Amino acid sequence: EEIASSPRPPLQPLALAPGVHFTSVSCGAQFSVALDISGCVWAWGNGEGGVLGLGPEALSGRSAPVRIEASVNLAPSSGVSCGSYHATALSSGGELYSWGRAEGGQL
């Protein structure tokens, strides 16, 4: 017996702020981070455990990309990467920043 599948809606690109262009994206278990052409890091998805790097007000999550503000001292970055429940950014000067859950010592 064939299983009927419902038609999928067409894929839609994320709406970004004017002039924002991502150069790389990395995905965790239920969140993503991206790097834009100016070295800013953006995050969206489920914020549980602080994986978005946006502070306590974002623990419930964000449905669209939000720039991680300079107030957290994140230097302009050259790369981003995610584990299941943590994220990292490599600054242009070679410093490594990490945030999220620290249950297994990954931070």
Side-chain angles (χ1 to χ4, degrees):
E1 176 180 336
E2 277 189 47
I3 298 174
S5 63
S6 52
R8 295 182 183 183
L11 295 176
Q12 298 293 322
L14 286 172
L16 302 175
V20 174
H21 302 283
F22 291 155
T23 60
S24 64
V25 177
S26 185
C27 301
Q30 297 178 357
F31 73 102
S32 299
V33 296
L35 182 67
D36 73 17
I37 58 174
S38 65
C40 293
V41 178
W42 298 69
W44 67 100
N46 182 337
E48 186 179 336
V51 297
L52 300 181
L54 299 170
E57 67 279 355
L59 295 178
S60 62
R62 295 289 186 263
S63 60
V66 176
R67 187 171 71 87
I68 297 177
E69 298 295 330
S71 62
V72 296
N73 297 321
L74 182 61
S77 300
S78 61
V80 292
S81 185
C82 293
S84 294
Y85 299 103
H86 71 283
T88 60
L90 181 63
S91 78
S92 301
E95 298 169 312
L96 182 64
Y97 295 83
S98 62
W99 58 93
R101 291 187 188 170
E103 295 166 348
Q106 64 272 61
L107 300 182

